[in-house]
Amino acid sequence: MASAPSVATPVKSALRTLDVIEFVVAHAAGVVAQDVAQALGIPVSSLSYLLATLVERQYLTREGRRYLPGPGLERLRVSPAALPWPTASPPGPRAQGRTQRNR
């Protein structure tokens, strides 16, 4: 008898991040934070930190008050071999810090 596939519990912060990226990408002229917050039901106070992180990682860019798709989204389209880090470790400052401490 085969067991039923397990259903993973979604991670709210991951879903929220993907929703924000998808919303911004869907609006070519860019969006202001208030528009994103209202459309997705995210408190502006929480959204501001998320947007700042996405801008820092270059998944979004900011022009004045508007957020637009950033060049970091292209990293999601390339071959893993073209990425600047080994596939075994995640990107970003936290991964770099762990690598430096482990040396």
Side-chain angles (χ1 to χ4, degrees):
M1 178 184 249
S3 63
S6 64
V7 177
T9 303
V11 177
K12 184 178 178 179
S13 60
L15 291 174
R16 185 174 277 182
T17 300
L18 294 170
D19 287 344
V20 168
I21 291 170
E22 290 173 357
F23 186 81
V24 173
V25 168
H27 295 84
V31 293
V32 296
Q34 187 64 38
D35 294 341
V36 178
Q38 187 173 19
L40 300 179
I42 301 172
V44 176
S45 58
S46 300
L47 181 63
S48 63
Y49 291 108
L50 177 53
L51 289 170
T53 300
L54 291 170
V55 168
E56 180 182 329
R57 295 296 304 270
Q58 297 182 339
Y59 290 108
L60 301 180
T61 59
R62 185 172 179 182
E63 293 181 5
R65 294 180 54 227
R66 301 188 89 63
Y67 292 89
L68 299 134
L73 293 174
E74 285 301 313
R75 290 193 306 263
L76 302 176
R77 298 172 48 110
V78 300
S79 163
L83 296 173
W85 53 84
T87 56
S89 66
R94 290 186 181 143
Q96 292 168 355
R98 282 193 299 262
T99 302
Q100 291 171 355
R101 283 193 298 268
N102 294 337
R103 288 185 184 170

